Amino acid sequence: MSAADDGANRSLGQLVATATTELSALVHDEIALAKAELREDARRLGIGGGAVAAAGALALFSLPVLSFAAAYGIHNLGLGLAWSFLITGGAFLLIAAVLVLLAVAKFKKISKPEKSIASARETAAVLGTVKPHPRSPADTGQTDASVTRSSV
């Protein structure tokens, strides 16, 4: 079929089938674009989540054991026991704060999929301006008895 008679010699069923196929391909392309944009944000989310998990694991599991070891080590250098524990606890809180700041920095880099949103808006604008093909006055009065019309 040539490009000149592309729409002129095609039946209504063929036109609907072509439109359905093209619309389906358009939707699949939109979904693929959204997935590609979100992949990078998912990687950033994973890194930020890993940093938060590392900070939590550090604070929860290793803090008590390492705190006692460090505090008694500082105490052996001649400082009072209370000051030794305070210095050790402050050092671990500082490390946890640095990890939280790293996570916040990664989370702030996450953005919405702007290309997908713009493309979807363009598609909606184009589809919103589409008007149905007008029927001729001779076609409007004819109804086929074998065709059941839906009221929806």
Side-chain angles (χ1 to χ4, degrees), residues 73-134:
I74 293 171
H75 178 65
N76 285 337
L77 295 175
L79 204 57
L81 194 57
W83 286 108
S84 299
F85 275 97
L86 185 63
I87 291 170
T88 304
F92 283 117
L93 286 177
L94 184 64
I95 292 169
V98 168
L99 288 173
V100 167
L101 289 175
L102 173 69
V104 168
K106 291 295 180 183
F107 288 149
K108 284 185 178 180
K109 289 184 179 180
I110 296 173
S111 63
K112 59 186 175 184
E114 294 175 7
K115 291 179 185 176
S116 296
I117 292 171
S119 179
R121 285 185 181 151
E122 284 181 25
T123 301
V126 168
L127 292 177
T129 61
V130 174
K131 298 192 183 214
H133 183 67

Side-chain angles (χ1 to χ4, degrees), residues 3-14:
D5 57 26
D6 189 31
N9 294 333
R10 297 171 76 187
S11 71
L12 179 61
Q14 291 172 331

Side-chain angles (χ1 to χ4, degrees), residues 16-32:
V16 169
T18 302
T20 303
T21 303
E22 289 177 2
L23 189 59
S24 175
L26 178 65
V27 168
H28 283 96
D29 290 345
E30 295 285 341
I31 291 171

